[in-house]
């Protein structure tokens, strides 16, 4: 790990301002991803800004009837919150499907959204990776790609986003609230939060430099049956090969977001109009334009089969 300087701030605005005046700064919350990357020297911040005491740790109702989830709410507290379990069951189920209890106790809401890919070529500094070193190439494309992306990818990157929580948030139409270094705030729909890789896979979100996430906003609950199904190589502490987060209604309509297949939670609202026709029709539209490798082409069928299982579960 390379040396760095450290400071602790008291407010979100102070954190964003500190980042603006210190080149090479990174925000530190739970640290469950950042510290690992620093040990491997994949992340090499010159300065760490500890935001753990800025007070963004509350879950509160909004005037519109939804929820405002502070950026520092832990995954454990969010999954266990009474209102979340009652009205946003998909989110609670997705959180409990991720990581281990110990990690959920430390991992934060904002950190979960911002965690970086678990592509093995990103973690191996002896391999070429455009996310880690822009312009160096992507060793994964001609390498071992069984766990990697089949849609939304590019010739520069086929990595997937690892978050279970983000899949649920996408199905719930969540929004991300932020503060910039000049003190101004904005709200970004999660549908617009993640960038596709294109030729710049190192640019993963639409956050501006030094912009800090302060909260995630959930709209009023929509009811229905909430299901999160995760297919993985082992039953715990494993990232999704394919995951499906669904909110299903009695009339056959619903919302579905898919994880494990793309650089962001993958949801196609136009495909959801085909849900009453069944999993095959829906999946064909959802994955239109997919570019799987020989090693991960199995995910095409796996998505369809998992969606079919979810739709069947929603009927019972």
């Amino acid at each position: 790990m390379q040396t760095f300087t450290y400071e602790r701030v008291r407010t979100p605005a102070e954190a964003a301002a500190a980042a603006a005046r210190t080149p090479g700064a990174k925000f530190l919350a739970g640290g469950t991803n950042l510290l690992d990357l620093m040990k491997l020297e994949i992340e090499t911040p010159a300065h760490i800004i500890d935001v753990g005491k800025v007070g963004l740790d509350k879950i509160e109702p909004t005037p519109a009837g939804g929820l405002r989830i502070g950026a520092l709410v832990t995954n454990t507290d969010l999954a266990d919150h009474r209102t979340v379990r009652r009205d946003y069951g998909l989110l609670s189920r997705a959180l409990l499907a991720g990581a281990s209890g110990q990690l959920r106790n430390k991992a934060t809401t904002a950190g979960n959204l911002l965690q970086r890919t678990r592509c093995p070529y990103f973690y191996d500094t002896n391999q070429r990776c455009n996310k880690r070193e822009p312009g160096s190439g992507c060793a994964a494309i001609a390498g071992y790609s069984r766990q990697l992306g089949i849609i939304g990818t590019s010739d520069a990157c086929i990595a997937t986003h690892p978050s279970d929580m983000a899949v649920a948030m996408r199905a719930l139409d969540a929004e991300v609230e932020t503060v910039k270094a000049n003190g101004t705030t904005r709200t970004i729909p999660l549908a617009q939060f993640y960038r596709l890789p294109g030729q710049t896979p190192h640019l993963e979100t639409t956050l501006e430099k030094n912009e800090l996430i302060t909260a995630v906003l959930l709209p009023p609950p929509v009811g229905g049956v909430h299901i999160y199904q995760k297919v993985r190589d082992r039953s715990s502490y494993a990232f999704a090969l394919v995951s499906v987060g669904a909110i299903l209604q009695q009339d056959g309509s619903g919302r579905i977001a898919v994880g494990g297949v793309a650089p962001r939670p993958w949801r196609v609202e136009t495909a959801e109009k085909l849900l009453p026709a069944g999993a095959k029709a829906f999946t064909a539209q959802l994955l239109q334009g997919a570019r799987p490798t020989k090693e991960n082409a199995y995910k095409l069928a796996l998505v369809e089969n998992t969606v079919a299982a979810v739709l069947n579960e929603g009927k019972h």
Side-chain angles (χ1 to χ4, degrees), residues 179-204:
V179 62
K180 300 181 184 180
N182 62 6
T184 60
T185 62
R186 65 170 174 154
T187 301
I188 309 167
L190 195 65
Q192 300 170 19
F193 183 73
Y194 294 109
R195 297 175 184 264
L196 293 180
Q199 295 305 306
T200 55
H202 61 292
L203 302 176
E204 297 175 345

Side-chain angles (χ1 to χ4, degrees), residues 89-251:
L90 170 58
L91 178 56
S92 183
R93 290 177 174 88
L95 285 163
L96 293 173
S100 64
Q102 293 93 330
L103 284 172
R104 290 195 297 270
N105 288 342
K106 289 293 292 181
T108 61
T109 298
N112 192 307
L113 291 177
L114 293 173
Q115 63 181 299
R116 306 203 65 189
T117 184
R118 265 50 177 199
C119 174
Y121 296 92
F122 172 73
Y123 272 81
D124 186 347
T125 55
N126 293 311
Q127 300 289 338
R128 294 175 295 114
C129 174
N130 287 315
K131 275 187 179 294
R132 181 170 21 83
E133 187 178 346
S136 63
C138 177
I141 291 176
Y144 182 71
S145 57
R146 177 177 172 272
Q147 295 179 305
L148 300 178
I150 61 173
I151 195 165
T153 57
S154 73
D155 293 337
C157 183
I158 60 171
T160 58
H161 195 273
S163 173
D164 292 290
M165 186 191 79
V167 175
M169 292 286 198
R170 180 67 183 90
L172 290 165
D173 286 331
E175 297 178 320
V176 179
E177 185 181 273
T178 72
V179 62
K180 300 181 184 180
N182 62 6
T184 60
T185 62
R186 65 170 174 154
T187 301
I188 309 167
L190 195 65
Q192 300 170 19
F193 183 73
Y194 294 109
R195 297 175 184 264
L196 293 180
Q199 295 305 306
T200 55
H202 61 292
L203 302 176
E204 297 175 345
T205 73
T206 55
L207 289 174
E208 296 178 8
K209 189 175 182 180
N210 307 319
E211 190 171 8
L212 176 72
I213 296 175
T214 54
V216 173
L217 303 175
L218 295 182
V222 295
V225 178
H226 289 223
I227 300 169
Y228 189 75
Q229 191 162 132
K230 181 176 180 177
V231 182
R232 46 191 164 177
D233 283 328
R234 55 181 185 270
S235 60
S236 66
Y237 199 56
F239 295 99
L241 298 173
V242 164
S243 62
V244 173
I247 304 171
L248 304 175
Q249 306 298 334
Q250 287 186 344
D251 63 2

Side-chain angles (χ1 to χ4, degrees), residues 42-62:
I42 294 170
E43 293 276 9
T44 56
H47 186 64
I48 290 293
I49 301 168
D50 188 339
V51 297
K53 301 296 183 182
V54 300
L56 302 174
D57 58 354
K58 301 290 190 299
I59 302 174
E60 302 167 310
T62 66

